[in-house]
Amino acid sequence: MSETAPDSADGNVASGTGDNSFVVVANRLPVDMIIESDGTKSWQESPGGLVSAVSPVLEKHQGCWVGWPGVTDEAPEPFRTERGVLLHPVELTQHDFEEFYEGFSNATLWPLYHNLIVTPEFNRSWWDAYRDVNLRFATEVASVAAPGATVWVQDYQLQLVPGILRQLRPDLTIGFFLHIPFPPPDIYRQLPWRSEMLRGLLDADLIGFHLESNVRNFVELCRGYDMEVSGEIKVREAGITITLPNGHSLGVGVFPISIDTSAIAATLAADTHHESHGELEQMHHNMGSPSTVFLGVDRLDYTKGILQRLLAFEELLDSGALDPKEVALVQLATPSRERIDSYRTTRSNVEEAVGRINGRFSQIGRPVVHYQHRSVTKDVLMRYYRLADVMLVTPFRDGMNLVAKEFVATRADSSGALVLSEFAGAADELTQAHLCNPFDIEDIKKAMLQATWGLKNNPEAMKERMSAMYNQVMEHDVDLWANAFLGALGALEQKHSV
């Protein structure tokens, strides 16, 4: 893969000899490497929300997905999925992974964009790696995109790609979507490379964020650089126009992401045969048949507030507000970025709390906290969602949080309750949840008790709350998100071509 400067790109890149009219570029390619028992390696497509959202568009337009295949120092040749989507790998070395991904992306940008929950590290060699890898991604995109193609760049790992692409391929229409929060200007400006990062973003034709607050932060930042800003914030439209001194203009809008509700419905329907075998009942029995099951499903990340919800649960048990013989908390914690110090510390603190709570309140053979530090399959996750009475989603900061929406999508019968952080993007849409301040353990406790009390003493009101959230999620699915963004991008393309 080329690591030369953009202005030294070869003729093939500059002329756009690719034949893909629509290109998605993301840090991860939707593939997994499978190693057979005989050591043979193969690659298979992996499912996911973003895959579901953009696959129909990729299929319709003979599209291409550019990304890293998830392992270092090797990558498959480009190949097409069964549905005809071209997957085009970008190979990363171990050095790239450590400095671009673990370093700049997740030890610099991630904490900076999540309002400094931990202190970001500003390392110049990490920045060099970030620039190099963004150049590599952009060069690959430029080589596969047809003349006049539409390119949709995804997330914080690739914020320089729009600017590099604009140099390599000025004929392209470029959209960028940020899947995490965008911080207030005073926080963003702490980044030593703030101007270059911002220039990379502003060469897009459309930038999308989850929330109005993200757009306000971005617009305020741009005004601080004396850019012309017009229009008003709109949802699922490019309501804001930013005009640069060089005359380039771009749209900015709110495009709240959602989930593939049809896939969840299909998974639930396919799983109904398990009901006859009593698998849900068996899972419940294995927990000691508690009257109330609390559930947390998170990556093991310091932004998710897992420790605080455990401490809230512990205090409720300690005070007698919850009876350890009648309740259980299930915490599924998916491993995440485990070589980064702040993540290792988070895991240690969480697992220490789990052990202490079980030591204090469990009976032999019946833990009160059921903790699992590994991934689960989608069908198993759906069963946990259905088993839960109260879903606990309490991040300190989250761009959206699709777990909350997935849980709601499993409640066609309007059962259950959702305790949701007011700092999760989903709180803007799921207003009937029991909202809480995740930094305030007393407030988490209050929301948990409100949910359990309501389910027991006011079930009809609780059903109304869940029904409203269910309808919201089902009517605003991932297809709406993708179609709204690409529709707005297409409208800007037509406007610019006039």
Side-chain angles (χ1 to χ4, degrees), residues 15-16 19 78 120-121 163 211 218-219 234 243 255 277 294 303 346 349 359 363 387-388 417 435 449 452 466 485:
S15 61
D19 59 359
E121 296 182 47
L211 304 177
F218 187 75
V219 166
K234 294 184 179 180
T243 303
F255 299 89
H277 296 88
F294 295 93
T303 65
T346 297
N349 291 339
Q363 298 172 317
L387 183 65
L435 298 179
L449 289 178
T452 54
M466 184 58 72
F485 185 93

Side-chain angles (χ1 to χ4, degrees), residues 139-447:
T139 303
E140 294 298 322
V141 171
S143 71
V144 301
T150 295
V151 176
W152 193 4
V153 185
Q154 306 289 331
D155 221 3
Y156 64 105
Q157 302 97 341
L158 302 176
Q159 290 178 91
L160 298 179
V161 167
I164 300 171
L165 275 179
R166 187 64 65 197
Q167 296 177 53
L168 292 173
R169 295 286 305 276
D171 60 302
L172 299 177
T173 298
I174 304 168
F176 178 88
F177 189 82
L178 184 67
H179 291 263
I180 64 175
F182 191 83
D186 284 351
I187 290 180
Y188 177 86
R189 284 195 289 261
Q190 294 182 28
L191 184 68
W193 309 279
R194 59 196 185 185
S195 297
E196 188 167 353
M197 186 75 79
L198 183 60
R199 284 198 302 270
L201 286 174
L202 290 172
D203 271 324
D205 294 293
L206 173 63
I207 299 177
F209 299 93
H210 287 306
L211 304 177
E212 290 187 22
S213 59
N214 300 154
V215 174
R216 285 194 295 270
N217 288 342
F218 187 75
V219 166
E220 184 182 347
L221 177 70
C222 291
R223 284 197 173 107
Y225 282 85
D226 296 325
M227 295 175 193
E228 181 184 334
V229 179
S230 60
E232 59 184 24
I233 298 174
K234 294 184 179 180
V235 179
R236 300 183 185 89
E237 294 182 45
I240 297 287
T241 298
I242 298 176
T243 303
L244 279 59
N246 64 6
H248 174 69
S249 64
L250 65 149
V252 180
V254 179
F255 299 89
I257 197 171
S258 193
I259 59 173
D260 186 352
T261 55
S262 61
I264 288 180
T267 300
L268 293 175
D271 198 43
T272 53
H273 70 278
H274 290 285
E275 293 282 356
S276 62
H277 296 88
E279 291 208 12
L280 282 180
E281 291 81 358
Q282 186 60 50
M283 289 170 67
H284 191 250
H285 174 75
N286 291 344
M287 293 179 193
S289 301
S291 58
T292 302
V293 176
F294 295 93
L295 174 65
V297 176
D298 311 84
R299 286 189 308 105
L300 192 49
D301 186 296
Y302 54 80
T303 65
K304 300 301 183 182
I306 300 172
L307 177 61
Q308 282 63 33
R309 86 176 59 131
L310 288 170
L311 295 177
F313 184 61
E314 181 178 24
E315 290 188 12
L316 289 171
L317 295 172
D318 192 40
S319 68
L322 293 178
D323 184 347
K325 296 179 182 178
E326 297 295 327
V327 300
L329 190 156
V330 178
Q331 178 61 59
L332 306 181
T334 305
S336 178
R337 305 166 189 165
E338 296 204 294
R339 299 183 347 143
I340 299 175
D341 287 344
S342 54
Y343 286 79
R344 289 201 297 264
T345 300
T346 297
R347 178 180 179 182
S348 177
N349 291 339
V350 165
E351 294 182 351
E352 178 184 344
V354 169
R356 183 182 65 251
I357 295 168
N358 278 333
R360 294 184 64 195
F361 299 105
S362 295
Q363 298 172 317
I364 298 298
R366 189 195 180 285
V368 70
V369 178
H370 301 261
Y371 171 80
Q372 179 173 297
H373 182 241
R374 63 178 184 272
S375 300
V376 298
T377 61
K378 203 67 174 179
D379 57 337
V380 171
L381 179 58
M382 291 299 118
R383 287 176 215 157
Y384 277 111
Y385 285 150
R386 293 165 62 203
L387 183 65
D389 298 293
V390 181
M391 186 79 208
L392 304 176
V393 181
T394 58
F396 294 131
R397 190 77 175 163
D398 222 333
M400 178 55 67
N401 194 290
L402 298 182
V403 164
K405 293 189 175 185
E406 287 178 347
F407 171 75
V408 169
T410 66
R411 318 310 279 196
D413 61 357
S414 301
S415 64
L418 173 64
V419 171
L420 179 61
S421 164
E422 62 189 67
F423 300 117
D428 277 22
E429 298 176 274
L430 304 180
T431 56
Q432 296 298 317
H434 297 272
L435 298 179
C436 67
N437 176 359
F439 296 92
D440 182 355
I441 290 178
E442 291 297 329
D443 207 40
I444 301 173
K445 290 161 60 177
K446 179 182 176 182

Side-chain angles (χ1 to χ4, degrees), residues 58-183:
L58 285 164
E59 294 164 24
K60 179 180 178 181
H61 297 284
Q62 192 182 7
C64 176
W65 187 309
V66 175
W68 172 54
V71 295
T72 58
D73 298 309
E74 63 180 301
E77 292 297 316
F79 68 96
R80 292 195 179 274
T81 68
E82 294 180 357
R83 293 173 292 185
V85 175
L86 177 63
L87 302 182
H88 186 93
V90 177
E91 183 175 333
L92 296 185
T93 66
Q94 183 64 27
H95 176 268
D96 295 329
F97 177 77
E98 292 172 2
E99 301 220 331
F100 154 74
Y101 181 74
E102 290 186 326
F104 196 82
S105 294
N106 291 310
T108 301
L109 292 180
W110 181 266
L112 186 78
Y113 280 33
H114 285 83
N115 287 12
L116 311 179
I117 293 172
V118 302
T119 302
E121 296 182 47
F122 301 125
N123 183 307
R124 284 178 288 183
S125 67
W126 292 356
W127 167 245
D128 291 341
Y130 186 85
R131 294 179 64 194
D132 290 345
V133 172
N134 272 246
L135 170 59
R136 205 174 314 158
F137 271 82
T139 303
E140 294 298 322
V141 171
S143 71
V144 301
T150 295
V151 176
W152 193 4
V153 185
Q154 306 289 331
D155 221 3
Y156 64 105
Q157 302 97 341
L158 302 176
Q159 290 178 91
L160 298 179
V161 167
I164 300 171
L165 275 179
R166 187 64 65 197
Q167 296 177 53
L168 292 173
R169 295 286 305 276
D171 60 302
L172 299 177
T173 298
I174 304 168
F176 178 88
F177 189 82
L178 184 67
H179 291 263
I180 64 175
F182 191 83

